[in-house]
């Protein structure tokens, strides 16, 4: 049986049953991406895909697994880009098609994690869409993005906004495209990854939700258990770079600082979901002009986004009790922006 879903603005067709909540696409939707998941190894003895030697890799992650292998390896092959998660799965990525070979059936939960994270982010970048490590909600018909480092408070702030009535557009990866000099953010999928404490606060219970990964505490919570969901690509109104202060910091003021285009570009590059992998393309092995062109085009795309957008640094205090005040500050900033736009028109 074939299933169709909307994922990052693409209609994906597959026989694979996802564990993650996804937006169902109608049978009449035109499929522009197919996903196939089968057991085996793309680089194994079946000969489906030959893996180049490590010296010819596009990217070898600095992080290694418990076996000492790179957590992620990316190779260029005649059939597409091979993304290897050693000991877990291989993904062969080509235009309109992604094939996954899972090494161990007991690691099936990793298919969702790898595909909806690193693999789809890479596919988006290959097709001219920038993937930022950011959440997105909707206000007044436009997308508002929040990017942060790990432990930066992104999940808590985004979830609190969804609970306050702002529809969710993206939880963890914001897919940005340039369209007629506007920056659009695509719908990702209707999942919120929450700790049990967050689920208890925003849903009322942490029971009945599966773990995103069995070794980590975050739960896969359908976004409609918290609030509403937006499924259309929307113009971006703001990108906020979050800086949450430590819980013991006495400074409780909320501050915003607009960034110039140069600093905004630096931060967009830094907050790309695959910043390290994309930044090192072409630095491992000899690659030629194709990769240099792809890197340059990606940089130019982010520069155009930085010029088209208002990007602000948002510093705010830690603690659930401060969130309503953060909401009010964001709304005031967005209202001020709308007032400027009305005057200009």
């Amino acid at each position: 049986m074939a299933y169709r879903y909307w994922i990052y603005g693409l209609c994906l067709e597959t026989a694979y049953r996802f564990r993650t909540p996804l937006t169902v696409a109608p049978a009449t939707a035109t499929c522009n991406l197919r996903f196939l998941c089968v057991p085996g190894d793309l680089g194994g003895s079946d000969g489906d895909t030959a893996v180049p030697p490590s010296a010819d890799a596009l990217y070898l992650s600095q992080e290694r697994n418990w076996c000492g292998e790179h957590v992620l390896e990316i190779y260029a092959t005649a059939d597409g880009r091979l993304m290897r998660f050693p000991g877990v799965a291989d993904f062969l990525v080509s235009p309109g098609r992604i094939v996954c070979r899972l090494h161990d059936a007991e690691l099936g939960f990793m298919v969702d994690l790898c595909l909806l994270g690193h693999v789809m982010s890479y596919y988006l970048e290959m097709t001219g869409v920038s993937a930022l490590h950011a959440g997105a909600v909707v206000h007044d018909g436009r997308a508002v993005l929040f990017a942060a480092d790990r432990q930066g408070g992104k999940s808590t702030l985004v979830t609190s906004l969804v609970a306050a009535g702002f529809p969710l557009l993206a939880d963890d990866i914001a897919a940005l495209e340039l369209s007629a000099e506007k920056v659009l953010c695509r719908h990702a999928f209707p999942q919120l990854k929450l700790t049990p404490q967050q689920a208890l606060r925003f849903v009322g219970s942490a029971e009945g939700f599966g773990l995103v990964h069995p070794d980590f505490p975050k739960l896969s919570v359908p976004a409609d258990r918290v609030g509403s969901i937006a499924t259309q690509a929307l113009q971006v109104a703001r990108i906020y770079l979050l800086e949450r202060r430590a819980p013991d910091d006495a400074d409780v003021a909320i501050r915003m600082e607009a960034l110039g285009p140069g600093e905004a570009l630096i931060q967009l590059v830094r907050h790309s979901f695959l910043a390290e992998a994309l930044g090192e393309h072409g630095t491992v092995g000899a690659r030629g002009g194709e990769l240099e062109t792809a890197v340059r085009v990606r940089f130019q795309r982010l520069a155009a986004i930085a010029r088209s957008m208002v990007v602000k640094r948002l510093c705010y205090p830690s603690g659930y009790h401060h969130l309503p005040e953060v909401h009010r500050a964001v709304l005031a900033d967005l209202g001020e922006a709308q007032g400027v736009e009305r005057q200009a028109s």
Side-chain angles (χ1 to χ4, degrees), residues 40 49 51 67 70 84 98 107-108 115 143 154 157-158 220 225 239 248-249 258 268 280 285 288 291 296 312 338 345:
T49 303
V51 179
C67 292
H70 301 283
R84 305 203 73 195
I98 298 175
L107 297 176
L115 177 70
K154 172 176 61 66
L157 181 55
V158 168
S220 174
R225 293 292 302 274
I239 299 177
D248 58 352
D249 194 324
L268 292 181
E280 291 190 13
L291 276 178
R296 183 172 64 253
K312 289 192 172 185
Q338 291 168 356
S345 61

Side-chain angles (χ1 to χ4, degrees), residues 245-318:
R245 299 188 188 92
D248 58 352
D249 194 324
D251 186 358
V252 296
I254 297 172
R255 299 184 179 87
M256 293 188 188
E257 174 193 0
L259 305 185
E263 179 63 20
L265 172 58
I266 292 172
Q267 293 301 324
L268 292 181
V269 171
R270 179 171 172 266
H271 286 285
S272 295
F273 191 79
L274 295 177
E276 180 185 307
L278 295 169
E280 291 190 13
H281 262 42
T283 64
V284 182
R287 298 278 24 118
E290 179 184 351
L291 276 178
E292 293 179 5
T293 299
V295 171
R296 183 172 64 253
V297 168
R298 172 179 170 267
F299 187 83
Q300 291 171 344
R301 184 170 66 245
L302 287 174
I305 292 173
R307 290 193 301 269
S308 305
M309 290 301 313
V310 175
V311 180
K312 289 192 172 185
R313 184 174 286 109
L314 170 56
C315 302
Y316 66 103
S318 180

Side-chain angles (χ1 to χ4, degrees), residues 34-335:
R34 287 178 169 81
F35 174 63
L36 177 66
C37 184
V38 294
D41 185 345
L42 287 170
S45 59
D46 57 8
D48 283 0
T49 303
V51 179
S54 296
D56 292 330
L58 300 181
Y59 170 71
L60 301 173
S61 68
Q62 296 180 15
E63 184 181 0
R64 295 176 181 264
N65 60 23
W66 65 277
C67 292
E69 302 168 302
H70 301 283
V71 170
L72 172 61
E73 303 170 355
I74 304 177
Y75 301 88
T77 76
D79 297 318
R81 300 294 167 85
L82 180 61
M83 301 184 72
R84 305 203 73 195
F85 300 84
V88 178
D90 298 340
F91 291 81
L92 184 60
V93 182
S94 58
R97 181 180 172 88
I98 298 175
V99 180
C100 166
R101 291 193 181 269
L102 185 64
H103 297 181
D104 185 342
E106 293 186 0
L107 297 176
F109 64 91
M110 290 296 295
V111 174
D112 285 41
L113 284 174
C114 295
L115 177 70
L116 299 177
H118 288 74
V119 177
M120 281 304 304
S121 294
Y122 194 79
Y123 186 88
L124 290 169
E125 295 282 357
M126 286 175 58
T127 55
V129 178
S130 295
L132 292 189
H133 191 193
V137 299
V138 180
H139 171 66
D140 198 26
R142 294 195 178 186
V144 183
L145 274 61
F146 300 90
D149 296 326
R150 289 183 180 180
Q151 307 301 318
K154 172 176 61 66
S155 294
T156 301
L157 181 55
V158 168
T159 304
S160 71
L161 287 164
V162 175
F166 297 75
L168 177 72
L169 194 58
D171 171 45
D172 198 43
I173 299 174
L176 301 184
E177 61 175 320
L178 286 166
S179 176
E181 298 184 356
K182 296 180 180 179
V183 181
L184 301 179
C185 181
R186 297 180 177 183
H187 165 61
F189 46 92
Q191 174 191 247
L192 289 163
K193 290 182 284 188
L194 306 178
T195 65
Q197 181 188 37
Q198 291 170 329
L200 187 62
R201 181 173 186 87
F202 296 114
V203 184
S205 173
E207 302 297 324
F209 303 117
L211 290 170
V212 175
H213 188 292
D215 293 338
F216 301 100
K218 285 217 169 182
L219 305 172
S220 174
V221 178
D224 60 7
R225 293 292 302 274
V226 178
S228 60
I229 302 158
T231 59
Q232 300 296 319
L234 296 173
Q235 184 176 351
V236 179
R238 279 281 193 275
I239 299 177
Y240 293 103
L241 308 176
L242 302 181
E243 291 187 6
R244 184 176 62 178
R245 299 188 188 92
D248 58 352
D249 194 324
D251 186 358
V252 296
I254 297 172
R255 299 184 179 87
M256 293 188 188
E257 174 193 0
L259 305 185
E263 179 63 20
L265 172 58
I266 292 172
Q267 293 301 324
L268 292 181
V269 171
R270 179 171 172 266
H271 286 285
S272 295
F273 191 79
L274 295 177
E276 180 185 307
L278 295 169
E280 291 190 13
H281 262 42
T283 64
V284 182
R287 298 278 24 118
E290 179 184 351
L291 276 178
E292 293 179 5
T293 299
V295 171
R296 183 172 64 253
V297 168
R298 172 179 170 267
F299 187 83
Q300 291 171 344
R301 184 170 66 245
L302 287 174
I305 292 173
R307 290 193 301 269
S308 305
M309 290 301 313
V310 175
V311 180
K312 289 192 172 185
R313 184 174 286 109
L314 170 56
C315 302
Y316 66 103
S318 180
Y320 287 123
H321 58 290
H322 289 296
L323 290 174
E325 188 178 353
V326 178
H327 294 184
R328 288 191 289 271
V330 170
L331 284 171
D333 185 55
L334 293 172

